[in-house]
Amino acid sequence: MSGPLAGLRVVERCGALGQYAGKLLADMGADVVKVEPPGGSEARAIGPFVDDVPGPDRSLNFWYFNTNKRSVMVDFAEQDGAATWRELAAAADIVIEDGKPGELDRLGAGYRAVAPRAPGLIWCAMTPFGQDGPWAHYEATDMVSLALGGAMMMNGYDPEDAADAPPIRGHGDQGYLTACHYAVQGILAALLWRDRTGEGQFIDCSAHEAISSTTEVALPYWFTQRINVIRQTGRHAAATRTERWLYRAGDGRWVLVFGVGRDNASWKRIKEWFQSEGFGLQFDEPRFDDPLNRQAARGSPEAAEIFAELGRFIAAHTAEEVYRGGQERRQAWGIVRSPEEALFDPHWEDRGFWVDVEGEGREGRPVRMPGAPYRFGATAWELRRPAPKLGEHTAEVLAEWLGRET
């Protein structure tokens, strides 16, 4: 087994909210055992499915979020179900669960029941709103979490693009994934503490608090100036309307432009490029020399002229010409790509980013999925196993971890 967390044992009892935390640890080498009820984790019912045929082992969503894990089936309705869970949890270094607050405690299978047997155990409980407080037992989905946490209020469109448009939720389970990233940060910090002291601990991870802490400028503006930021098309929310970042190129594709000539050296290169084709001839005037006058969101007439000319320049070129030309001049510009375009990105191909995963209905016809978003110099990442079939490793894990013979 490879990876910087090789040798660590993790028990995960999670659905859609917490499963990514288990995947992050599994992909870093930890031995992650996913404990599921007889019908399987609720995450197995999330599509899309192979050939649009639902089934517990056919969810492509589940395949991605559960790579490098093993599956053990435990029925808490059976007399020995809770006992098996307690034994697995006590044999682990880390437990991740996303049940309702107090759910496992009522079954005699929560942290308080297990910790005395395993003083070094790190137990991370992930919930929508935390273990206590007035909202602790409220229900939430990814969309509801993004709405209540403030992130949705910051995403939307300029009035001229979509008048009276409501707040927009970003797709991809961003709320759940944000909570999982914070959960893993807490777990890794708790591991460092355990290394120093030998003590485990309970981690209360609230998705609501994780999401609320990632609202960028919204909270600082409100806390310091009592100003609510406004939604804008394809750019950061801000206290006032700012210059556009999205421009349609001559071939109909969109280009995102993050800043223009923020320093004098890059401004000189941009200016020469524009002027060589008859654009921005006024940019030689001294009023454009100050970088502050050129920056967006400051309300200067110079910035307004620059971005207006930029729009005309982009409209006269293909998106690829603008993207390549901007990058050659050290500008953070890029083409707005569709997902299918990203699948064939030569940069990702060269870095070996993609992995091929097989499963029920795709034997011999692997599905391409994202691999690791990082590279370790000494502990290589690898796809050790695809997402497990329901209960696939029950006998194996019970024998290996608990010494039970079948």
Side-chain angles (χ1 to χ4, degrees):
M1 188 177 292
S2 64
L5 300 185
L8 282 175
R9 287 180 169 180
V10 181
V11 170
E12 177 211 301
R13 184 178 182 263
C14 293
L17 169 58
Q19 62 181 350
Y20 188 55
K23 171 185 168 62
L24 291 173
L25 298 178
D27 286 354
M28 287 190 278
D31 181 9
V32 177
V33 170
K34 189 177 189 75
V35 175
E36 306 183 69
S41 166
E42 64 182 28
R44 291 183 181 271
I46 300 173
F49 300 96
V50 175
D51 299 328
D52 293 327
V53 178
D57 297 318
R58 300 178 68 88
S59 165
L60 296 171
N61 182 282
F62 186 88
W63 287 12
Y64 172 71
F65 284 112
N66 292 277
T67 52
N68 288 328
K69 299 178 187 178
R70 295 192 283 179
S71 172
V72 168
M73 193 184 303
V74 174
D75 188 354
F76 278 77
E78 296 290 334
Q79 187 172 2
D80 64 347
T84 297
W85 162 263
R86 286 192 296 268
E87 288 185 62
L88 286 170
D93 296 285
I94 300 160
V95 169
I96 309 172
E97 51 98 357
D98 63 4
K100 299 180 187 302
E103 177 183 356
L104 287 175
D105 288 329
R106 287 189 291 274
L107 297 171
Y111 177 71
R112 288 194 294 270
V114 178
R117 303 169 56 186
L121 178 63
I122 295 166
W123 187 297
C124 181
M126 299 182 63
T127 56
F129 301 105
Q131 297 294 307
D132 52 25
W135 291 7
H137 295 280
Y138 283 14
E139 301 288 341
T141 63
D142 177 79
M143 186 182 298
V144 170
S145 294
L146 289 171
L148 288 172
M152 189 182 295
M153 183 59 73
M154 298 174 55
N155 290 278
Y157 300 98
D158 290 312
E160 57 269 31
D161 293 330
D164 299 320
I168 304 298
R169 169 231 185 178
H171 276 284
D173 289 337
Q174 294 178 21
Y176 288 164
L177 269 56
T178 299
C180 286
H181 278 111
Y182 276 86
V184 169
Q185 290 177 46
I187 289 168
L188 295 179
L191 281 170
L192 292 175
W193 172 256
R194 192 182 72 171
D195 285 347
R196 293 201 298 269
T197 67
E199 298 175 359
Q201 59 183 294
F202 183 86
I203 301 170
D204 175 1
C205 180
S206 159
H208 183 57
E209 287 153 23
I211 294 165
S212 295
S213 69
T214 58
T215 52
E216 206 176 40
V217 299
L219 287 179
Y221 264 114
W222 179 253
F223 287 148
T224 59
Q225 301 181 43
R226 288 296 188 265
I227 294 175
N228 274 319
V229 296
I230 54 178
R231 298 185 292 276
Q232 305 190 103
T233 303
R235 61 196 187 280
H236 298 298
T240 59
R241 191 72 59 193
T242 64
E243 289 81 3
R244 286 180 170 271
W245 293 359
L246 278 176
Y247 296 89
R248 192 184 291 275
D251 56 2
R253 303 178 74 192
W254 291 94
V255 176
L256 190 138
V257 173
F258 186 78
V260 180
R262 290 172 177 263
D263 60 86
N264 288 330
S266 64
W267 170 244
K268 181 175 184 295
R269 292 191 290 268
I270 288 291
K271 183 172 65 172
E272 290 172 349
W273 183 26
F274 279 29
Q275 291 177 342
S276 70
E277 301 189 25
F279 295 90
L281 299 181
Q282 75 274 32
F283 292 165
D284 285 330
E285 296 175 15
R287 61 193 177 97
F288 292 97
D289 291 344
D290 187 343
L292 294 181
N293 288 348
R294 301 195 297 264
Q295 297 313 305
R298 295 182 179 274
S300 73
E302 290 78 18
E305 286 185 52
I306 290 171
F307 280 88
E309 198 72 357
L310 175 70
R312 289 188 284 272
F313 179 85
I314 292 175
H317 296 79
T318 67
E320 191 71 18
E321 289 170 341
V322 175
Y323 167 48
R324 299 295 177 182
Q327 288 292 333
E328 288 172 5
R329 293 160 180 84
R330 307 298 297 169
Q331 300 298 290
W333 299 358
I335 299 171
V336 179
R337 287 178 169 172
S338 63
E340 57 268 26
E341 289 177 302
L343 279 173
F344 301 102
D345 184 301
H347 179 77
W348 281 336
E349 291 283 355
D350 288 348
R351 287 181 57 82
F353 174 62
W354 302 107
V355 294
D356 292 328
V357 179
E358 294 186 19
E360 182 179 313
R362 295 289 298 194
E363 296 88 350
R365 297 185 299 136
V367 176
R368 171 169 280 200
M369 292 187 175
Y374 45 72
R375 284 184 175 182
F376 291 111
T379 51
W381 183 93
E382 65 174 329
L383 179 65
R384 303 188 306 279
R385 55 168 57 94
K389 295 179 180 179
L390 176 58
E392 178 181 356
H393 307 97
T394 301
E396 174 182 294
V397 172
L398 294 185
E400 184 180 317
W401 283 32
L402 309 183
R404 292 189 185 180
E405 298 298 331
T406 57

